[in-house]
Amino acid sequence: ATMRAVLGLILGQGARLILMGTGMGLAAARLIERLLSSQLPQSPTGDLPTYAMVTALLGTTALLACLVPAARIARTDPMTALRNE
């Protein structure tokens, strides 16, 4: 496999996990926000810019965290990896 194919495979799997986690996190945050707003009537709700910034920051950080091992794996010689297995 080429270096590009290996990077694409690993980053694609990481991106899929990041999207699923982001979706579940946003849903949970929305539910918690509704619960808190019922208990604290003056609390602000639906702060879309905050949700967008946090989602972008965490998504970028997670993608960079996937990039480091992906680059390391892509540089590994396949024969060396097979011999070590």
Side-chain angles (χ1 to χ4, degrees):
T2 65
M3 184 178 195
R4 184 180 206 137
V6 172
L7 282 173
L9 176 70
I10 294 171
L11 290 178
Q13 289 176 354
R16 191 174 320 122
L17 290 173
I18 291 166
L19 288 175
M20 287 189 319
T22 300
M24 289 188 290
L26 286 173
R30 185 68 178 147
L31 288 173
I32 291 171
E33 179 185 8
R34 284 185 184 177
L35 175 69
L36 287 177
S37 68
S38 70
Q39 301 297 319
L40 304 167
Q42 281 95 15
S43 65
T45 59
D47 191 14
L48 191 59
T50 302
Y51 280 133
M53 284 180 50
V54 170
T55 300
L57 178 67
L58 290 177
T60 302
T61 304
L63 203 55
L64 287 174
C66 292
L67 183 62
V68 172
R72 202 167 143 201
I73 290 169
R75 284 192 309 258
T76 303
D77 179 41
M79 289 308 294
T80 304
L82 288 173
R83 274 190 226 119
N84 289 335
E85 288 291 319

